[in-house]
Protein backbone atom coordinates (compact mmCIF):
# COMPACT_ATOMS: atom_id res chain seq x y z
CA UNK A 1 0.00 0.00 0.00
CA UNK A 2 2.80 2.43 0.99
CA UNK A 3 4.76 1.61 -2.17
CA UNK A 4 1.68 2.25 -4.30
CA UNK A 5 1.18 5.62 -2.62
CA UNK A 6 4.81 6.55 -3.20
CA UNK A 7 4.43 5.63 -6.85
CA UNK A 8 1.42 7.87 -7.43
CA UNK A 9 2.31 10.57 -4.87
CA UNK A 10 6.03 11.29 -5.48
CA UNK A 11 6.17 13.88 -2.68
CA UNK A 12 6.08 11.00 -0.18
CA UNK A 13 9.38 9.75 -1.61
CA UNK A 14 11.48 12.88 -2.15
CA UNK A 15 9.99 14.55 0.93
CA UNK A 16 11.74 12.01 3.17
CA UNK A 17 15.14 13.32 2.06
CA UNK A 18 14.38 17.05 2.10
CA UNK A 19 17.36 19.01 3.46
CA UNK A 20 17.91 22.50 4.82
CA UNK A 21 20.02 23.42 1.79
CA UNK A 22 17.24 22.28 -0.53
CA UNK A 23 14.78 24.36 1.48
CA UNK A 24 16.90 27.50 1.11
CA UNK A 25 17.43 26.97 -2.62
CA UNK A 26 13.75 26.25 -3.23
CA UNK A 27 12.63 29.35 -1.34
CA UNK A 28 15.08 31.57 -3.24
CA UNK A 29 13.83 30.14 -6.55
CA UNK A 30 10.23 30.68 -5.42
CA UNK A 31 10.83 34.38 -4.73
CA UNK A 32 12.29 34.92 -8.20
CA UNK A 33 9.58 32.92 -10.00
CA UNK A 34 6.82 34.68 -8.02
CA UNK A 35 8.12 38.09 -9.12
CA UNK A 36 8.11 36.88 -12.72
CA UNK A 37 4.71 35.17 -12.55
CA UNK A 38 2.63 38.09 -11.25
CA UNK A 39 2.69 40.17 -14.46
CA UNK A 40 2.82 37.03 -16.62
CA UNK A 41 -0.29 35.49 -15.02
CA UNK A 42 -2.24 38.73 -15.44
CA UNK A 43 -1.18 38.97 -19.08
CA UNK A 44 -2.09 35.39 -19.97
CA UNK A 45 -5.51 35.73 -18.34
CA UNK A 46 -6.13 38.75 -20.56
CA UNK A 47 -5.04 36.66 -23.56
CA UNK A 48 -7.60 34.01 -22.59
CA UNK A 49 -10.32 36.68 -22.46
CA UNK A 50 -10.68 36.38 -18.68
CA UNK A 51 -10.36 38.87 -15.80
CA UNK A 52 -6.73 39.39 -14.62
CA UNK A 53 -7.33 37.66 -11.29
CA UNK A 54 -8.12 34.40 -13.13
CA UNK A 55 -4.42 34.20 -14.06
CA UNK A 56 -3.40 34.44 -10.40
CA UNK A 57 -6.03 31.90 -9.35
CA UNK A 58 -4.81 29.48 -12.03
CA UNK A 59 -1.28 29.78 -10.62
CA UNK A 60 -1.90 28.91 -6.96
CA UNK A 61 -3.61 25.56 -6.26
CA UNK A 62 -2.45 23.98 -9.58
CA UNK A 63 1.19 24.57 -8.61
CA UNK A 64 0.65 22.94 -5.22
CA UNK A 65 -1.10 19.93 -6.71
CA UNK A 66 1.63 19.45 -9.30
CA UNK A 67 4.26 19.65 -6.52
CA UNK A 68 2.47 16.74 -4.83
CA UNK A 69 1.84 14.52 -7.85
CA UNK A 70 4.42 15.58 -10.49
CA UNK A 71 7.89 14.14 -11.00
CA UNK A 72 9.84 17.12 -12.38
CA UNK A 73 11.87 19.07 -9.85
CA UNK A 74 11.95 22.27 -11.89
CA UNK A 75 8.72 22.37 -13.91
CA UNK A 76 6.56 25.38 -13.02
CA UNK A 77 2.88 24.88 -13.81
CA UNK A 78 0.42 27.65 -14.63
CA UNK A 79 -1.14 29.62 -17.51
CA UNK A 80 0.89 29.63 -20.74
CA UNK A 81 0.47 31.56 -23.97
CA UNK A 82 -0.54 28.71 -26.30
CA UNK A 83 -3.09 27.20 -23.91
CA UNK A 84 -4.48 30.67 -23.12
CA UNK A 85 -5.05 31.30 -26.82
CA UNK A 86 -6.64 27.87 -27.28
CA UNK A 87 -8.89 28.58 -24.28
CA UNK A 88 -10.04 31.88 -25.79
CA UNK A 89 -10.74 30.22 -29.13
CA UNK A 90 -12.68 27.33 -27.56
CA UNK A 91 -14.70 29.29 -24.99
CA UNK A 92 -15.38 32.11 -27.45
CA UNK A 93 -17.42 29.66 -29.52
CA UNK A 94 -19.87 28.93 -26.69
CA UNK A 95 -20.08 32.19 -24.69
CA UNK A 96 -19.52 35.92 -25.02
CA UNK A 97 -16.36 37.36 -23.49
CA UNK A 98 -16.96 39.21 -20.24
CA UNK A 99 -20.02 37.20 -19.24
CA UNK A 100 -20.44 34.78 -16.34
CA UNK A 101 -21.03 32.02 -18.88
CA UNK A 102 -17.59 32.66 -20.39
CA UNK A 103 -15.85 32.23 -17.02
CA UNK A 104 -17.86 29.10 -16.22
CA UNK A 105 -17.02 27.62 -19.62
CA UNK A 106 -13.30 28.33 -19.04
CA UNK A 107 -13.19 26.56 -15.68
CA UNK A 108 -15.31 23.72 -17.09
CA UNK A 109 -12.72 23.37 -19.85
CA UNK A 110 -10.00 23.11 -17.17
CA UNK A 111 -11.88 20.35 -15.31
CA UNK A 112 -12.47 18.41 -18.53
CA UNK A 113 -8.81 18.74 -19.49
CA UNK A 114 -7.81 17.59 -16.00
CA UNK A 115 -10.08 14.56 -16.21
CA UNK A 116 -8.69 13.62 -19.64
CA UNK A 117 -5.08 13.95 -18.47
CA UNK A 118 -5.79 11.98 -15.29
CA UNK A 119 -7.45 9.19 -17.27
CA UNK A 120 -4.52 9.09 -19.71
CA UNK A 121 -2.11 8.83 -16.79
CA UNK A 122 -4.00 6.01 -15.09
CA UNK A 123 -4.20 4.17 -18.42
CA UNK A 124 -0.42 4.71 -18.87
CA UNK A 125 -0.76 6.53 -22.18
CA UNK A 126 2.28 8.74 -21.68
CA UNK A 127 4.03 6.95 -24.54
CA UNK A 128 1.63 8.60 -27.01
CA UNK A 129 3.71 11.77 -26.81
CA UNK A 130 6.40 9.94 -28.79
CA UNK A 131 4.13 9.80 -31.83
CA UNK A 132 3.84 13.59 -32.15
CA UNK A 133 6.63 14.67 -34.50
CA UNK A 134 8.85 17.62 -33.67
CA UNK A 135 8.10 19.49 -36.93
CA UNK A 136 4.36 19.31 -36.24
CA UNK A 137 4.71 20.62 -32.69
CA UNK A 138 7.26 23.28 -33.69
CA UNK A 139 5.04 24.39 -36.56
CA UNK A 140 2.01 24.60 -34.29
CA UNK A 141 3.88 26.62 -31.66
CA UNK A 142 5.40 28.96 -34.29
CA UNK A 143 2.02 29.63 -35.87
CA UNK A 144 0.43 30.11 -32.46
CA UNK A 145 3.20 32.53 -31.47
CA UNK A 146 2.59 34.68 -34.55
CA UNK A 147 -1.18 34.63 -34.03
CA UNK A 148 -0.84 35.52 -30.34
CA UNK A 149 1.55 38.41 -31.06
CA UNK A 150 -0.70 39.89 -33.76
CA UNK A 151 -3.77 39.51 -31.54
CA UNK A 152 -2.08 41.71 -28.91
CA UNK A 153 -1.36 44.59 -31.28
CA UNK A 154 -4.83 46.01 -30.59
CA UNK A 155 -3.74 46.68 -27.01
CA UNK A 156 -0.46 48.24 -28.16
CA UNK A 157 -2.37 50.54 -30.52
CA UNK A 158 -5.25 51.19 -28.15
CA UNK A 159 -7.94 50.16 -30.64
CA UNK A 160 -10.80 47.67 -30.80
CA UNK A 161 -10.08 44.80 -33.17
CA UNK A 162 -11.66 41.40 -33.54
CA UNK A 163 -11.15 38.10 -35.34
CA UNK A 164 -9.85 34.57 -34.76
CA UNK A 165 -7.65 34.07 -37.82
CA UNK A 166 -4.60 36.05 -38.91
CA UNK A 167 -6.33 37.67 -41.94
CA UNK A 168 -9.34 38.60 -39.80
CA UNK A 169 -7.24 40.18 -37.05
CA UNK A 170 -4.95 42.00 -39.51
CA UNK A 171 -7.93 43.33 -41.47
CA UNK A 172 -9.62 44.55 -38.31
CA UNK A 173 -6.44 46.28 -37.14
CA UNK A 174 -6.03 48.07 -40.47
CA UNK A 175 -9.65 49.18 -40.39
CA UNK A 176 -9.16 50.78 -36.96
CA UNK A 177 -5.81 52.49 -37.55
CA UNK A 178 -7.54 55.86 -37.49
CA UNK A 179 -8.54 55.24 -33.86
CA UNK A 180 -5.00 54.70 -32.53
CA UNK A 181 -4.39 56.26 -29.09
CA UNK A 182 -0.94 57.96 -29.30
CA UNK A 183 -0.22 57.68 -25.58
CA UNK A 184 -1.11 53.98 -25.50
CA UNK A 185 1.06 53.46 -28.59
CA UNK A 186 4.05 55.08 -26.89
CA UNK A 187 3.59 52.96 -23.75
CA UNK A 188 3.20 49.78 -25.78
CA UNK A 189 6.14 50.37 -28.14
CA UNK A 190 8.51 51.51 -25.38
CA UNK A 191 7.53 48.56 -23.13
CA UNK A 192 8.02 46.07 -25.98
CA UNK A 193 11.39 47.55 -26.97
CA UNK A 194 12.53 47.59 -23.33
CA UNK A 195 11.56 43.95 -22.77
CA UNK A 196 13.31 42.83 -25.95
CA UNK A 197 16.43 44.73 -24.85
CA UNK A 198 16.27 43.22 -21.35
CA UNK A 199 16.29 39.71 -22.86
CA UNK A 200 19.45 40.33 -24.88
CA UNK A 201 21.29 43.35 -23.56
CA UNK A 202 20.77 43.81 -19.82
CA UNK A 203 22.72 40.80 -18.55
CA UNK A 204 25.91 41.49 -20.59
CA UNK A 205 25.74 45.15 -19.53
CA UNK A 206 25.47 44.31 -15.83
CA UNK A 207 28.27 41.72 -16.02
CA UNK A 208 30.49 44.24 -17.83
CA UNK A 209 29.90 46.63 -14.92
CA UNK A 210 31.04 44.07 -12.36
CA UNK A 211 27.85 42.31 -11.29
CA UNK A 212 28.06 38.59 -10.67
CA UNK A 213 26.52 36.48 -13.48
CA UNK A 214 23.88 34.91 -11.23
CA UNK A 215 22.68 38.28 -9.92
CA UNK A 216 22.72 39.68 -13.46
CA UNK A 217 20.55 36.77 -14.58
CA UNK A 218 18.07 37.45 -11.78
CA UNK A 219 17.94 41.13 -12.74
CA UNK A 220 17.28 40.14 -16.34
CA UNK A 221 14.38 37.88 -15.35
CA UNK A 222 12.87 40.74 -13.32
CA UNK A 223 12.66 42.94 -16.43
CA UNK A 224 8.87 42.58 -16.86
CA UNK A 225 8.37 43.66 -13.24
CA UNK A 226 10.33 46.86 -13.91
CA UNK A 227 8.15 47.57 -16.96
CA UNK A 228 5.01 47.01 -14.90
CA UNK A 229 6.14 49.30 -12.07
CA UNK A 230 7.31 52.17 -14.28
CA UNK A 231 4.30 52.21 -16.61
CA UNK A 232 1.84 51.85 -13.72
CA UNK A 233 3.40 54.81 -11.90
CA UNK A 234 3.40 56.84 -15.14
CA UNK A 235 -0.30 56.20 -15.77
CA UNK A 236 -1.18 56.99 -12.15
CA UNK A 237 1.05 60.02 -11.77
CA UNK A 238 0.14 61.66 -15.10
CA UNK A 239 -3.54 60.72 -15.05
CA UNK A 240 -3.22 58.91 -18.38
CA UNK A 241 -6.26 56.70 -17.77
CA UNK A 242 -8.39 59.83 -18.23
CA UNK A 243 -6.79 60.33 -21.65
CA UNK A 244 -7.92 57.04 -23.12
CA UNK A 245 -5.20 54.68 -21.86
CA UNK A 246 -6.78 51.31 -21.04
CA UNK A 247 -5.89 49.99 -17.58
CA UNK A 248 -6.43 46.74 -15.68
CA UNK A 249 -8.70 48.42 -13.13
CA UNK A 250 -10.00 46.89 -9.92
CA UNK A 251 -8.82 43.35 -9.19
CA UNK A 252 -10.49 41.52 -6.26
CA UNK A 253 -8.34 41.11 -3.12
CA UNK A 254 -9.01 37.48 -2.31
CA UNK A 255 -7.74 33.96 -2.37
CA UNK A 256 -9.03 31.72 -5.17
CA UNK A 257 -12.77 31.07 -4.71
CA UNK A 258 -14.39 27.66 -4.75
CA UNK A 259 -16.03 27.25 -8.16
CA UNK A 260 -18.00 24.45 -9.77
CA UNK A 261 -17.93 23.47 -13.47
CA UNK A 262 -21.06 23.33 -15.59
CA UNK A 263 -22.79 19.98 -16.08
CA UNK A 264 -24.75 21.17 -19.12
CA UNK A 265 -24.52 18.33 -21.65
CA UNK A 266 -24.47 20.63 -24.70
CA UNK A 267 -21.60 22.68 -23.23
CA UNK A 268 -19.62 19.56 -22.30
CA UNK A 269 -20.10 18.18 -25.82
CA UNK A 270 -18.98 21.45 -27.42
CA UNK A 271 -15.87 21.64 -25.24
CA UNK A 272 -14.77 17.99 -25.43
CA UNK A 273 -12.63 18.23 -28.57
CA UNK A 274 -10.95 21.52 -27.47
CA UNK A 275 -10.31 19.97 -24.04
CA UNK A 276 -8.70 16.95 -25.69
CA UNK A 277 -6.49 19.15 -27.89
CA UNK A 278 -5.48 21.35 -24.95
CA UNK A 279 -4.65 18.25 -22.92
CA UNK A 280 -2.42 16.77 -25.62
CA UNK A 281 -0.67 20.01 -26.58
CA UNK A 282 -0.24 21.00 -22.92
CA UNK A 283 1.21 17.60 -22.06
CA UNK A 284 3.64 17.64 -24.98
CA UNK A 285 4.86 21.15 -24.11
CA UNK A 286 5.17 20.25 -20.44
CA UNK A 287 6.94 16.91 -20.89
CA UNK A 288 9.36 18.44 -23.39
CA UNK A 289 10.42 21.12 -20.92
CA UNK A 290 10.51 18.69 -17.97
CA UNK A 291 12.67 16.13 -19.80
CA UNK A 292 15.05 18.81 -21.09
CA UNK A 293 15.66 20.24 -17.61
CA UNK A 294 15.82 16.81 -15.96
CA UNK A 295 18.47 15.63 -18.42
CA UNK A 296 20.79 18.44 -17.28
CA UNK A 297 20.88 16.94 -13.76
CA UNK A 298 20.50 13.30 -14.80
CA UNK A 299 17.09 13.07 -13.22
CA UNK A 300 14.21 10.89 -14.40
CA UNK A 301 10.77 11.99 -15.55
CA UNK A 302 7.86 9.54 -15.55
CA UNK A 303 5.50 10.54 -18.43
CA UNK A 304 2.55 8.64 -16.95
CA UNK A 305 2.96 10.29 -13.57
CA UNK A 306 3.33 13.67 -15.33
CA UNK A 307 -0.11 13.11 -16.86
CA UNK A 308 -1.50 12.54 -13.37
CA UNK A 309 0.28 15.63 -12.01
CA UNK A 310 -0.97 17.85 -14.83
CA UNK A 311 -4.44 16.33 -14.52
CA UNK A 312 -4.57 17.17 -10.81
CA UNK A 313 -3.30 20.71 -11.56
CA UNK A 314 -6.06 21.32 -14.10
CA UNK A 315 -8.73 19.94 -11.80
CA UNK A 316 -7.44 22.34 -9.15
CA UNK A 317 -7.62 25.24 -11.60
CA UNK A 318 -11.19 24.38 -12.54
CA UNK A 319 -12.40 24.29 -8.94
CA UNK A 320 -10.68 27.56 -7.95
CA UNK A 321 -11.76 30.01 -10.63
CA UNK A 322 -8.92 29.37 -13.09
CA UNK A 323 -8.62 27.90 -16.56
CA UNK A 324 -6.44 25.21 -18.25
CA UNK A 325 -2.77 25.17 -17.23
CA UNK A 326 0.39 23.30 -18.12
CA UNK A 327 4.14 23.45 -17.55
CA UNK A 328 5.54 26.72 -18.91
CA UNK A 329 8.89 26.93 -20.68
CA UNK A 330 9.99 30.39 -19.52
CA UNK A 331 9.02 30.06 -15.85
CA UNK A 332 10.43 26.53 -15.64
CA UNK A 333 13.80 27.67 -16.99
CA UNK A 334 13.81 30.55 -14.49
CA UNK A 335 12.92 28.10 -11.70
CA UNK A 336 15.77 25.81 -12.76
CA UNK A 337 18.32 28.62 -13.15
CA UNK A 338 17.34 30.05 -9.76
CA UNK A 339 18.40 26.81 -8.09
CA UNK A 340 15.14 24.93 -7.45
CA UNK A 341 16.00 21.46 -6.20
CA UNK A 342 12.57 19.92 -5.54
CA UNK A 343 8.91 20.47 -6.49
CA UNK A 344 8.52 22.23 -3.13
CA UNK A 345 9.78 25.38 -4.88
CA UNK A 346 6.45 25.41 -6.71
CA UNK A 347 4.52 25.20 -3.44
CA UNK A 348 6.47 28.17 -2.05
CA UNK A 349 5.72 30.06 -5.27
CA UNK A 350 2.02 29.39 -4.72
CA UNK A 351 2.27 30.91 -1.25
CA UNK A 352 3.91 34.01 -2.71
CA UNK A 353 1.16 34.34 -5.33
CA UNK A 354 -1.52 33.89 -2.66
CA UNK A 355 0.02 36.77 -0.71
CA UNK A 356 0.05 38.85 -3.90
CA UNK A 357 -3.64 38.04 -4.54
CA UNK A 358 -4.50 39.18 -1.01
CA UNK A 359 -2.27 42.23 -0.62
CA UNK A 360 -0.86 43.50 -3.92
CA UNK A 361 -3.81 43.64 -6.31
CA UNK A 362 -4.71 47.29 -5.49
CA UNK A 363 -1.25 48.28 -6.71
CA UNK A 364 -2.02 47.16 -10.27
CA UNK A 365 -5.21 49.21 -10.68
CA UNK A 366 -3.43 51.64 -13.04
CA UNK A 367 -1.39 48.97 -14.86
CA UNK A 368 -1.87 49.66 -18.61
CA UNK A 369 -3.05 46.73 -20.70
CA UNK A 370 -0.47 47.79 -23.29
CA UNK A 371 2.29 46.69 -20.88
CA UNK A 372 0.68 43.28 -20.43
CA UNK A 373 0.34 42.98 -24.20
CA UNK A 374 4.05 43.81 -24.57
CA UNK A 375 4.88 41.09 -22.03
CA UNK A 376 2.88 38.55 -24.06
CA UNK A 377 4.37 39.60 -27.40
CA UNK A 378 7.96 39.32 -26.19
CA UNK A 379 7.28 35.96 -24.51
CA UNK A 380 5.57 34.30 -27.47
CA UNK A 381 7.90 35.59 -30.18
CA UNK A 382 10.72 33.75 -28.43
CA UNK A 383 8.85 30.54 -29.33
CA UNK A 384 8.73 31.33 -33.04
CA UNK A 385 11.19 29.13 -34.94
CA UNK A 386 11.21 29.39 -38.73
CA UNK A 387 14.40 27.33 -38.98
CA UNK A 388 12.33 24.17 -38.47
CA UNK A 389 10.80 24.75 -41.94
CA UNK A 390 14.20 24.68 -43.61
CA UNK A 391 15.34 21.72 -41.52
CA UNK A 392 12.20 19.70 -42.25
CA UNK A 393 12.34 20.53 -45.97
CA UNK A 394 15.93 19.35 -46.18
CA UNK A 395 15.22 16.19 -44.21
CA UNK A 396 12.00 15.12 -45.93
CA UNK A 397 9.95 17.14 -48.38
CA UNK A 398 6.92 14.96 -47.72
Amino acid sequence: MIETLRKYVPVLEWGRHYTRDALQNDMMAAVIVTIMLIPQSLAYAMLAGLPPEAGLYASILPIILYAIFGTSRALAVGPVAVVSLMTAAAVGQVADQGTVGYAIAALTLAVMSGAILLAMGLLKLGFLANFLSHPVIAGFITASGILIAVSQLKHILGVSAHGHTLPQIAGSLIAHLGDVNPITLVIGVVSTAFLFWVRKGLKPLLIARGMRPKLADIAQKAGPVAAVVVTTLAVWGLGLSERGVSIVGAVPQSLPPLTLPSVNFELLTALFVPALLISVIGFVESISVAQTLAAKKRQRIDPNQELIGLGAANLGAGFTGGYPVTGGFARSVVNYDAGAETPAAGAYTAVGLAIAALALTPLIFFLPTATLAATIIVAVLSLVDFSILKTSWGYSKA
Side-chain angles (χ1 to χ4, degrees):
M1 179 66 177
I2 296 297
E3 289 303 317
T4 302
L5 279 175
R6 285 177 181 169
K7 179 181 178 181
Y8 289 105
V9 189
V11 67
L12 295 177
E13 181 60 33
W14 62 258
R16 294 190 304 163
H17 311 290
Y18 200 49
T19 65
R20 180 178 296 180
D21 287 342
L23 170 65
Q24 293 175 346
N25 290 335
D26 285 347
M27 292 190 72
M28 177 59 69
V31 170
I32 296 170
V33 175
T34 299
I35 292 172
M36 173 189 176
L37 272 185
I38 292 174
Q40 198 177 74
S41 297
L42 298 172
Y44 289 156
M46 183 177 75
L47 178 60
L50 293 163
E53 63 269 19
L56 290 176
Y57 297 160
S59 300
I60 296 176
L61 185 59
I63 298 179
I64 295 175
L65 290 172
Y66 179 81
I68 295 173
F69 294 103
T71 59
S72 172
R73 301 192 178 196
L75 192 71
V77 171
V80 300
V82 172
V83 171
S84 296
L85 181 68
M86 294 177 73
T87 298
V91 178
Q93 300 297 320
V94 297
D96 293 327
Q97 188 172 323
T99 63
V100 174
Y102 190 96
I104 292 175
L107 61 89
T108 301
L109 187 64
V111 171
M112 293 178 69
S113 179
I116 291 170
L117 287 164
L118 198 60
M120 290 173 67
L122 293 174
L123 293 172
K124 300 187 183 303
L125 298 179
F127 70 90
L128 293 177
N130 297 328
F131 293 98
L132 288 169
S133 70
H134 177 65
V136 171
I137 297 301
F140 172 82
I141 291 176
T142 294
S144 298
I146 294 172
L147 189 59
I148 291 168
V150 174
S151 72
Q152 294 306 297
L153 289 179
K154 63 182 180 182
H155 299 294
I156 299 292
L157 299 173
V159 301
S160 296
H162 307 283
H164 296 291
T165 66
L166 193 58
Q168 289 175 348
I169 297 172
S172 184
L173 285 171
I174 293 171
H176 289 86
L177 284 179
D179 303 325
V180 171
N181 183 298
I183 301 174
T184 300
L185 180 61
V186 170
I187 293 173
V189 171
V190 171
S191 297
T192 304
F194 171 74
L195 291 173
F196 271 119
W197 174 78
V198 163
R199 279 185 169 244
K200 299 292 184 182
L202 181 59
K203 184 176 179 180
L205 177 65
L206 294 176
I207 293 175
R209 295 197 173 184
M211 184 178 285
R212 287 186 297 171
K214 191 168 185 178
L215 288 177
D217 192 56
I218 293 172
Q220 180 188 46
K221 299 299 190 297
V225 179
V228 165
V229 172
V230 172
T231 56
T232 301
L233 290 175
V235 171
W236 169 71
L238 300 175
L240 299 181
S241 60
E242 299 173 3
R243 299 171 65 180
V245 175
S246 176
I247 58 175
V248 168
V251 176
Q253 279 183 272
S254 67
L255 291 173
L258 177 62
T259 53
L260 295 174
S262 172
V263 292
N264 181 284
F265 180 75
E266 290 184 3
L267 178 63
L268 296 178
T269 303
L271 293 179
F272 177 75
V273 173
L276 180 61
L277 290 174
I278 286 174
S279 300
V280 173
I281 295 298
F283 171 62
V284 171
E285 180 177 350
S286 180
I287 198 71
S288 299
V289 175
Q291 289 178 336
T292 300
L293 297 179
K296 293 183 177 182
K297 289 190 175 182
R298 297 186 178 182
Q299 295 167 350
R300 181 177 173 273
I301 299 297
D302 182 347
N304 295 317
Q305 188 61 36
E306 284 298 289
L307 283 166
I308 292 174
L310 291 173
N314 276 280
L315 289 174
F319 285 106
T320 54
Y323 66 100
V325 298
T326 192
F329 176 76
R331 67 172 66 99
S332 298
V333 172
V334 171
N335 199 34
Y336 177 87
D337 290 343
E341 292 193 22
T342 73
Y348 302 143
T349 299
V351 173
L353 290 170
I355 294 172
L358 281 173
L360 301 182
T361 51
L363 301 179
I364 62 173
F365 183 91
F366 289 101
L367 171 60
T369 54
T371 303
L372 295 180
T375 303
I376 293 172
I377 289 171
V378 174
V380 300
L381 287 184
S382 66
L383 303 175
V384 173
D385 178 18
F386 289 113
S387 66
I388 191 65
L389 298 175
K390 181 180 179 181
T391 303
S392 300
W393 180 263
Y395 178 75
S396 171
K397 292 180 176 57

